[in-house]
Amino acid sequence: MIRRMLTILLALVLLGGAAAAEELWPARVGDEWGYIDREGRMVIAPQWQDALPFQQGYAIVSAADTDDAMIDAQGAYVISPENGYSLEMYDHAVRI
């Protein structure tokens, strides 16, 4: 099951909207992180305790008292924090 999920996720990463997401950067407002575009506009509202830069169209985020999650460039969960995963992003893969 996990192997299949990783295969699907890898396909999404390689085919997905990576270019637009690479234009977003983590930005801290108060104690929470969100994402801004190159003009400094908040694109994804601050809501996480930690937020990593986008790679291949996806970013790893975490909230207080939850496990890691993965979001797309619209801020939608691709892997929700309820799954209980600890995620690491590499060049073209995600390690769970």
Side-chain angles (χ1 to χ4, degrees):
M1 175 72 169
I2 290 179
R3 176 180 237 163
R4 183 174 182 188
M5 180 188 295
L6 286 176
T7 301
I8 293 169
L9 183 59
L10 181 57
L12 289 172
V13 167
L14 294 175
L15 299 173
E22 301 302 315
E23 303 270 330
L24 300 178
W25 294 276
R28 187 174 182 171
V29 177
D31 291 335
E32 296 182 322
W33 289 86
Y35 290 87
I36 58 172
D37 64 12
R38 68 175 50 219
E39 282 82 34
R41 294 179 295 215
M42 190 61 65
V43 176
I44 301 174
Q47 55 195 297
W48 298 286
Q49 179 180 344
D50 291 307
L52 297 177
F54 275 87
Q55 292 183 33
Q56 301 298 318
Y58 300 93
I60 295 174
V61 296
S62 62
D65 302 324
T66 66
D67 292 307
D68 294 342
M70 181 175 283
I71 61 168
D72 63 17
Q74 288 73 45
Y77 286 114
V78 176
I79 298 176
S80 70
E82 291 81 31
N83 285 321
Y85 296 132
S86 176
L87 304 173
E88 295 178 53
M89 182 93 64
Y90 293 96
D91 283 335
H92 294 287
V94 175
R95 187 162 115 185
I96 296 179

